[in-house]
Amino acid sequence: MTTVGLIGSGNIGGTVARLAVDAGYDVVLSNSRGPETLTDLVEALGGHASAGTAQDAAQVGDLVVVSVPLKAYRAVPVEPLAGKVVIDTNNYYPQRDGAFPELDSGEITSSELLQRHLPQSRVVKVFNNIYFKGLAALSRPSGAADRSALAIAGDDADAKAEVTAFLD
Ligand SMILES: NC(=O)c1ccc[n+]([C@@H]2O[C@H](COP(=O)([O-])OP(=O)(O)OC[C@H]3O[C@@H](n4cnc5c(N)ncnc54)[C@H](OP(=O)(O)O)[C@@H]3O)[C@@H](O)[C@H]2O)c1
């Protein structure tokens, strides 16, 4: 597994891209406005980064990170993510995302919304409970005594193992 697709390349997506490049992965970034708006970030990340559409990032990513405001989750491409592990960083902020009655009632979780949208993908939630600046500053090599813990959640053991290896 060598390529990480980013759907959403803002605070969290951009930070995960930086960490992934530093760990030896290739990354393909995308956002809502188009690849031409990601030139500066691609340049800053160096030769292992490129930008495309969300469709491109979904297509070429061996592992794909969805890091958009929750209100945009329905725009995440479905077909190219079939069979793939998808990392979900989203949190629900009604003041930003608008009200989702199913979330307000506790009927479903935000990751289950994304999983329902991507029925053939395996969604694992991670990076949702760490501020992006902390994520950027606190990465440590395996075995470091001051390494942080990152919580993950999902219902597919193999997908969680794949994500854990990526975090490592
Ligand atoms: N910030 C944090 O520290 C933090 C921590 C944990 C979890 N989170 C959660 O992670 C998610 C992302 O947060 P963030 O702070 O990284 O947000 P952000 O900085 O606003 O970035 C959001 C990214 O999503 C893109 N996007 C929006 N709509 C899209 C669409 N329809 N298709 C493709 N890309 C789209 C945006 O592109 P454009 O700019 O082109 O619209 C932007 O690149 C949110 O759910 C947030 O609650 C954030």
Side-chain angles (χ1 to χ4, degrees):
M1 198 268 283
T2 57
T3 302
V4 180
L6 280 304
I7 298 177
S9 303
N11 291 325
I12 284 283
T15 302
V16 173
R18 169 86 266 163
L19 293 169
V21 165
D22 289 349
Y25 293 89
D26 291 332
V27 299
V28 178
L29 307 166
S30 69
N31 63 9
S32 75
R33 287 165 294 149
E36 65 283 359
T37 65
L38 289 163
T39 314
D40 290 351
L41 182 55
V42 167
E43 206 168 294
L45 290 173
H48 288 280
S50 61
T53 62
Q55 186 79 16
D56 296 331
Q59 200 96 48
V60 301
D62 299 299
L63 177 67
V64 175
V65 181
V66 172
S67 195
V68 299
L70 179 67
K71 65 182 173 196
Y73 84 90
R74 291 184 196 86
V76 174
V78 177
E79 189 275 326
L81 292 175
K84 295 188 182 179
V85 174
V86 173
I87 288 181
D88 172 29
T89 80
N90 297 326
N91 286 315
Y92 172 43
Y93 289 101
Q95 63 276 29
R96 177 194 67 189
D97 299 316
F100 284 64
E102 286 172 301
L103 296 179
D104 292 335
S105 68
E107 210 173 305
I108 195 167
T109 67
S110 59
S111 284
E112 286 169 328
L113 274 185
L114 182 65
Q115 180 66 78
R116 192 169 68 186
H117 176 68
L118 303 173
Q120 295 185 73
S121 307
R122 291 169 294 154
V123 172
V124 177
K125 192 174 191 90
V126 69
F127 299 129
N128 68 299
N129 67 338
I130 183 166
Y131 184 50
F132 74 99
K133 289 187 179 174
L135 183 61
L138 294 172
S139 72
R140 298 289 186 276
S142 186
D146 60 345
R147 213 179 195 202
S148 299
L150 285 171
I152 68 169
D155 58 9
D156 183 296
D158 290 343
K160 283 189 288 187
E162 197 176 306
V163 171
T164 301
F166 173 63
L167 297 176
D168 207 28

